Every structure is written in C-alpha cells, then in structure tokens.
Amino acid sequence: MNTHNVEHIIIGTAGHIDHGKTSLVKALTGIDTDRLPEEKQRGMTIDLGYAYLDLDSGHRVSIVDVPGHERFVKNMLAGATSINLVLFVIAADDGIMPQTIEHLEIINLLGIRHGLVALTKKDLVTDEWLAIVQEDIRNILKGTSLEDAPIVPVSTVTGEGIETCKATIKSLISQIKTQSSTRVFRLSIDRSFTISGYGCVVTGPVMGGQISVEDEIEIFPVKTTVRVRGVEVTGERVNTAFAGQRAAINLSGIKSTEIKRGYELSIPGYLQPTKIVDASLRLIKSAKKPLKNRARIRFHVNTSEVMGRVILLDRDILNPGEEALCQFLLENIITTEREDRFIIRSYSPSYTIGGGRILGYNTTRLKRFKEESLKTLKILASGNLSDIVEQVYLNNVVRRGERSFALTIDDVSRRVNIHPSIAEKIIVHCVEKGVFMKFSVEGKNVIFHKTHVLSLKERILNELRKFHKDNPLKMGIDETHLKTLLGKNINPLLITAALTSLRNEKAVKVTDNKLSLANFKIEVSTQDKGIADKIEGLFLKAGFTPPSMEEVCAKFGALGKAVIPLLIEQKKIIGVENGLCFHTMVLDKLKQNLREYINKQGPISVAQFRDLTKTSRKYAVPLLEYFDAIHFTKRTGDVRILL
C-alpha cells in the first residue's frame, strides 16, 4: 500500500435510513461495515462502520459508513466531521426523505465540497421514475456545497453502476487538496477497546500531522501522556499514519475504559481543554424558528457531543439563514481548534438547526455588543493567517490579574492551528513589515507587537516626566522602582524591550544606574547652590559625627531638606543606615585608615573601630554595616575582615 507522497482523504457516507449506504460500501469494497450483533439482527446501521477502497494507483482510502436513522444522528456526526468526500446515498424508489434533507444540511454546514450522489436501488424503478428523482435531487442540491456533485445511479443487487461509481470516486479524489499535512498531529477518538495481548486501542481520523510508533502523545482533555506501541491503517500495521487517514493506535500506560468517544490525541501540551468556544454560527434556512440568545443546544464537534448554551454576541435573535458571531458556553470540557467545523442541534426534540466554524477556544466570557471583541472575531473569521497571527499578539494582554508573557512560536502554532514552521514564517514576515518588533533580551530573541511596545514606551516617558517634575534635584529613577510604577502585570521582557528601544532612540539615558529623560539636567539656582555648599561643608567638618536630617532642617529650613537628595545624587555625601549621611571624602579616608589598621592589627571589633574613629557606637555600627554592604569588609563572628 502506497502511503507516501499522496493526498490522504477519508470518504464518508450520508443519507436516509434503509437507502443502501452499507450495501453500497460492501459493493465497492467487499467489506461489511455493520459490526455490531444488533446491526446484523435489525439490518440497520446503528454506529459508525469502517472500510477501505483500493485505487488503481495502489493508494488505499478509508471509508466511514454512518447510520441514517434520526435517532443516531449524533453517531453520524461523529464520523461526518472528518470526511473529505461524501457518498450521498439516495434510494431511487423512496427518493428524498427527512434524513436525506438533514444529512444534506449537515454536509453543507460542514463545508464538504467534494462528493457524489449515489442513486441506489436503480433496479427497482423505471427509467422515467429515475429521471424524475434525479431532477428532484438537482433541486435540493442547489445552493449547497454539493450543487455540482455528479449523480450516479447504481444497483448493489445487479452490480450496475458500481464500476462507474468507483471511477467517479477516483476522479473526485484527484481534485481534493487538503491542508492537514501542514498542521500538528491530532486525532479525534471515535472508538476505544482492548485487544488481548496488546491492551488499549483507539481509532479515529488523523486530522493533522502524522503519528509514528514510539511517539509520546497526550490524551485530551484528561491530559494523560502515553506512548504509541503500534499503528494500523486500513487493516495493515504501519510505522506512521498520516493526516487524512483513519488509524488504529495501540497505546501503552492506559486502559481503554479510561478513554471515551470525543477524547483527542495530540503532541503533549498542544491542545487546550475548554468549556468556552468562540465561533461563527449559521442557522439553516429551514430552521423551524429563530435562535434566541442563551438557547440551550447540543454542540457537535469532531467526535464530541456536549450540551451548552449559545451566546449571541452581535444580536439578540438569529433568524433562519442568518450568520452571527457567538460564544458557546459548554457544560463539559472539550478540545477544539480554530477552523474546526461544528453542528448544533436543538435540545429537545433533537434536530439539526445550524453549524459553522470554530474561531478559537477562550478562557473568559466576552461581553455582548462590544466592538473590540467583535472586531477580533471578524479577523479570526476572515481566515487571513497574517492578520490572525497579528491578532494573537495584540490579544496577548493581561487578563484577570495574570501577567502577560512573551509568545513563542509554539504558542502561536497552538492558537492559530498551524504548523510551527508556518507560524515562524509569518512572524518573520510581520517583523520585516514592522508590525512586530524583535529584541534580544537576556540572551534570547523576543517579539512583541509594535502597538504594545509603543504604548509602553509612552508610559515610561510619562513616568519619567512626572518623576522629574516631582524630584527636580534627583538625577533619575531606579529601574526597579520604575517597574513597580508600571505595574506588576507588565511583562519584564516587554519593559526591557521598550527601554532598549528608548535608549537606541536616545530618548532616555542612564547615569549611575538611574534612568532619566535624555534632555534632563539638574538645574540648581544660585541660592540653592550656596546652601548646598554650606551643607556639604557642614558634613565634611562633622567627620564621623554628622548632623541628623532634623538638625539640617532646623538650620537651613525646608530648602535644606530638598538639597540633601541633590548632594546624594552628586555623590558628595553618602547615605548609610538609620538615615545617617557622611561626606564622601570622610568615608574614603576612613576606608584607607581601616585597610591599614586591619593589615597591621588584624580583624577589627566594633569597640576597636569606635576607638579608631573616635566616635560613639551610634555611628560606628552603621558605618561598619555600610562597609559590609559595599563588600569592603566582611563580618566574621564579632569582628570584621577585609574582602
């Protein structure tokens, strides 16, 4: 069987009960897809059945046979959402029936564009009747995704038309081009069972990427990591299964009873379990009544069926034939991706009322009629990958007090449902266009949307302007304090990126580890300078017994208090513990004396240091702790040594 360099596709049946879907599949493939004893006894397909068709090229394609009875539409949907080509079966003697219409509506909602109508039981009707039925079929196909589908009359009893049907299928297959090979591996589980000697086996369509023996994969939504023991495709053991094939996967480390229909397999960490789904929804024209906001519905996506409510975001009522942006609030967790097709059915009685496309999963409910949310969803609905990737970066903001983060290529791949290699190309393109900005921070490349960088840069400049206004005699602000002012939820990498951009533009400068506006200068009046000189002289003269801030204020007033930070900024005086300040020259001289003392006398105690400086313990202890803090000395027991 040839499995490489081909377009893998899955064929699925559709149509009313007892119109011969299973018989047609058997006539085409020689395989009876009814596997359950109840199906054999009742002569009616209840659950999904599986077969395969060999083409002349040696290429084998999977076939999913779905039930036609209205009570088993949920089983039909579990198989229909993954098919690329539909065998739409209509019996010539019955013609168009209720499930014919519902299945056609489902096919149309799922966007299945390739298919043929197999007009079965040809042997039971006249040519005139056959022509009438074909005309009826053409009428119901108008305006649907199968409008131009060929109609092939067949008889599974006489074999008439079977070869023509095969040839038509082969011709249609050659026209199909899928994008699933460019996506990450994903399989939606429709069956789970145990085989003696092998253990757990799951089956389902491979909807993206590929899976090989010994790969490590994760089961969602339970987030259990397992290893692949074996892979089988259409009855043959293979090393790798590709997108567009149905596969049976033998898993190690889990029991089949722990897995349900609707669970999915993917690479670890790729899928995100959710109860909130953003979507574009269309109500079918034949819907019996409008759909109201918060209506309870049955939500079908891939092999899952869950209950939920529809939240209409841009209106209160959705009329038949109309399309709307919405959120689904689901009652159970599912996994889904952007561009998945879904179907909704009424809660009770249950019948198909609409469907559409998934625009993405969400963690929060959107506010109705909010223009910003609607704009985002419209971009997601457009399908333009560059615009969608840009929107992902724009939406990477703080939610519910959580810190924003720098997106990786894998983050973008997961959110947009594209292969990491494609995500990387789009990001590079957006950087080249100037939509994204790329920075080297802490030894790695980080990328942010231009809007976020520009917005943060303006905030930083505003904070610096305010700081300079409130502190005209300070050189600048400490970067740690600036980050505090900006808020704890701002990504530190984004702050670094914005500061890097501001420095490159020479809009800010750094002086002695203090940030300031590039054009900022400390301007001191003649009066201020005179007082500053007097205060500096006071500290220089005081030596190791400097005045307190209260004494400075008492002598020079409020202006004296304002000048102290200026002298500290200019490093003419230095603050140590307990609000004490010493003149820089005094400390430099003391460092020299202390070095000479320890080199000659050895480690120095507090008492010895007090005698050396001829001061009290009130000043000696803070001075020693200051020298420890600047790594000039080190405390060992009750004495200090040089570092």
Side-chain angles (χ1 to χ4, degrees):
M1 178 179 64
N2 182 15
T3 58
H4 300 281
N5 302 317
V6 292
E7 194 72 38
H8 298 291
I9 66 125
I10 296 173
I11 299 172
T13 64
H16 195 80
I17 183 175
D18 201 32
H19 276 206
K21 295 185 294 297
T22 302
S23 297
L24 176 62
V25 171
K26 186 174 182 180
L28 290 169
T29 66
I31 299 170
D32 184 358
T33 57
D34 281 345
R35 55 186 173 80
L36 301 176
E38 187 179 356
E39 291 176 319
K40 301 287 188 183
Q41 182 180 356
R42 297 170 64 180
M44 177 178 71
T45 300
I46 296 172
D47 205 351
L48 302 177
Y50 309 99
Y52 53 83
L53 178 65
D54 288 324
L55 305 180
D56 294 337
S57 60
H59 180 203
R60 178 176 286 181
V61 295
S62 300
I63 296 180
V64 181
D65 184 27
V66 306
H69 196 284
E70 62 179 342
R71 285 190 295 143
F72 305 116
V73 170
K74 70 174 184 178
N75 291 342
M76 178 268 183
L77 287 167
T81 50
S82 65
I83 67 177
N84 311 106
L85 187 154
V86 62
L87 290 178
F88 192 37
V89 179
I90 301 174
D93 57 340
D94 280 345
I96 296 163
M97 298 291 282
Q99 294 313 121
T100 306
I101 300 298
E102 183 169 17
H103 282 207
L104 178 59
E105 287 170 338
I106 290 169
I107 291 165
N108 193 46
L109 289 168
L110 294 176
I112 301 170
R113 303 188 311 276
H114 301 281
L116 65 88
V117 178
L119 191 51
T120 57
K121 304 187 181 182
K122 177 182 182 296
D123 55 297
L124 298 181
V125 299
T126 64
D127 290 343
E128 290 78 13
W129 181 257
L130 200 64
I132 293 171
V133 174
Q134 289 190 63
E135 186 177 350
D136 289 343
I137 292 171
R138 279 288 163 222
N139 287 331
I140 69 162
L141 294 182
K142 284 180 181 177
T144 73
S145 58
L146 294 183
E147 183 171 5
D148 299 320
I151 300 174
V152 182
V154 298
S155 169
T156 58
V157 175
T158 66
E160 187 177 359
I162 295 299
E163 290 305 315
T164 302
C165 189
K166 282 185 181 180
T168 305
I169 290 172
K170 293 170 186 176
S171 175
L172 289 170
I173 288 174
S174 67
Q175 301 171 26
I176 298 175
K177 294 293 179 185
T178 69
Q179 300 296 319
S180 52
S181 60
T182 62
R183 293 161 54 185
V184 170
F185 166 70
R186 186 175 166 216
L187 180 146
S188 192
I189 296 171
D190 51 37
R191 278 199 301 162
S192 174
F193 49 91
T194 300
I195 296 180
S196 179
Y198 291 91
C200 176
V201 175
V202 298
T203 67
V206 182
M207 298 182 293
Q210 61 188 58
I211 183 70
S212 299
V213 176
E214 295 302 321
D215 281 353
E216 186 178 75
I217 54 177
E218 193 169 6
I219 303 174
F220 297 91
V222 292
K223 290 196 169 185
T224 301
T225 302
V226 294
R227 190 167 296 280
V228 177
R229 292 180 60 186
V231 179
E232 191 174 286
V233 174
T234 56
E236 294 188 7
R237 294 186 67 83
V238 295
N239 188 64
T240 302
F242 299 90
Q245 294 181 321
R246 278 194 53 80
I249 312 293
N250 184 197
L251 302 175
S252 65
I254 195 167
K255 296 178 181 178
S256 61
T257 53
E258 298 176 58
I259 301 174
K260 301 176 183 178
R261 173 177 286 181
Y263 284 13
E264 297 197 3
L265 304 179
S266 189
I267 62 175
Y270 180 70
L271 294 175
Q272 180 61 46
T274 186
K275 282 188 174 183
I276 304 177
V277 175
D278 302 335
S280 172
L281 167 67
R282 182 166 60 84
L283 202 63
I284 60 176
K285 289 182 180 180
S286 60
K288 298 177 182 178
K289 58 183 179 179
L291 183 68
K292 295 181 180 180
N293 180 53
R294 293 196 59 79
R296 195 163 187 238
I297 48 85
R298 298 173 184 271
F299 183 82
H300 298 262
V301 62
N302 298 320
T303 57
S304 295
E305 180 201 25
V306 294
M307 304 301 175
R309 294 191 184 274
V310 58
I311 306 299
L312 301 174
L313 298 174
D314 57 359
R315 66 196 72 196
D316 292 316
I317 292 177
L318 182 63
N319 292 311
E322 290 183 346
E323 193 166 336
L325 297 171
C326 68
Q327 275 194 319
F328 289 101
L329 308 183
L330 306 175
E331 296 175 15
N332 295 100
I333 292 174
I334 64 164
T335 46
T336 187
E337 290 184 301
R338 186 186 68 84
E339 289 299 300
D340 278 355
R341 292 278 182 163
F342 67 89
I343 298 293
I344 62 169
R345 308 188 81 221
S346 57
Y347 174 63
S348 181
S350 182
Y351 51 86
T352 301
I353 57 175
R357 289 186 300 137
I358 303 293
L359 302 181
Y361 65 85
N362 215 322
T363 56
T364 57
R365 291 180 57 174
L366 299 175
K367 291 183 179 179
R368 300 179 66 220
F369 302 106
K370 189 175 181 182
E371 189 56 39
E372 184 180 343
S373 297
L374 294 174
K375 179 183 175 182
T376 297
L377 294 182
K378 286 174 184 175
I379 290 172
L380 293 174
S382 73
N384 184 303
L385 287 180
S386 291
D387 289 346
I388 292 170
V389 169
E390 181 183 352
Q391 200 63 39
V392 167
Y393 274 86
L394 278 172
N395 289 346
N396 184 38
V397 294
V398 177
R399 288 183 177 180
R400 294 186 177 180
E402 297 177 358
R403 175 177 286 181
S404 62
F405 56 94
L407 291 169
T408 65
I409 290 172
D410 284 340
D411 292 328
V412 177
S413 168
R414 283 193 293 271
R415 295 191 184 195
V416 186
N417 183 24
I418 52 177
H419 196 274
S421 61
I422 297 175
E424 184 174 18
K425 288 178 183 177
I426 293 173
I427 292 169
V428 169
H429 177 64
C430 288
V431 170
E432 291 172 350
K433 286 199 322 180
V435 176
F436 295 167
M437 299 180 73
K438 181 179 178 180
F439 300 90
S440 179
V441 180
E442 298 175 4
K444 62 180 180 180
N445 291 327
V446 292
I447 293 171
F448 295 101
H449 196 283
K450 180 181 179 180
T451 300
H452 291 163
V453 178
L454 294 180
S455 175
L456 185 57
K457 283 166 63 177
E458 189 56 38
R459 280 193 62 193
I460 291 172
L461 292 175
N462 286 335
E463 290 291 350
L464 290 176
R465 292 185 192 108
K466 185 176 183 299
F467 182 84
H468 291 326
K469 182 180 179 181
D470 296 341
N471 305 274
L473 298 180
K474 286 190 176 182
M475 188 66 69
I477 188 172
D478 184 76
E479 188 171 323
T480 302
H481 183 47
L482 174 65
K483 289 179 179 178
T484 301
L485 293 175
L486 293 173
K488 64 180 181 180
N489 293 323
I490 301 297
N491 188 334
L493 294 178
L494 178 57
I495 295 175
T496 303
L499 287 172
T500 299
S501 182
L502 288 169
R503 290 191 192 102
N504 291 341
E505 296 167 3
K506 300 193 182 326
V508 300
K509 62 183 178 182
V510 181
T511 307
D512 294 327
N513 296 319
K514 303 288 184 181
L515 284 166
S516 67
L517 295 172
N519 58 0
F520 175 75
K521 293 180 181 178
I522 296 177
E523 296 182 358
V524 184
S525 67
T526 303
Q527 181 185 8
D528 291 346
K529 188 176 186 311
I531 292 178
D533 289 344
K534 289 179 181 179
I535 293 175
E536 182 189 354
L538 182 65
F539 276 94
L540 182 60
K541 184 178 180 180
F544 303 126
T545 55
S548 66
M549 293 301 107
E550 290 78 9
E551 290 171 329
V552 172
C553 291
K555 188 169 184 178
F556 296 98
L559 190 57
K561 186 177 181 180
V563 166
I564 292 292
L566 172 63
L567 293 173
I568 293 175
E569 286 280 335
Q570 295 175 336
K571 298 194 180 304
K572 291 182 177 179
I573 64 173
I574 293 175
V576 298
E577 290 188 5
N578 301 328
L580 293 175
C581 292
F582 294 84
H583 198 283
T584 302
M585 291 175 62
V586 171
L587 291 179
D588 287 343
K589 180 64 176 175
L590 181 56
K591 282 175 69 175
Q592 182 180 340
N593 293 342
L594 187 57
R595 181 183 288 109
E596 291 174 356
Y597 181 94
I598 294 175
N599 285 336
K600 289 181 180 179
Q601 306 294 333
I604 188 170
S605 66
V606 174
Q608 290 169 326
F609 181 78
R610 186 185 59 207
D611 294 340
L612 177 68
T613 56
K614 296 182 174 56
T615 187
S616 67
R617 186 179 180 87
K618 172 185 174 181
Y619 301 104
V621 172
L623 280 169
L624 281 171
E625 290 178 350
Y626 165 74
F627 286 129
D628 291 343
I630 65 171
H631 304 295
F632 179 70
T633 58
K634 178 183 177 182
R635 181 174 178 175
T636 305
D638 293 329
V639 296
R640 259 77 175 183
I641 61 174
L642 294 176
L643 275 179

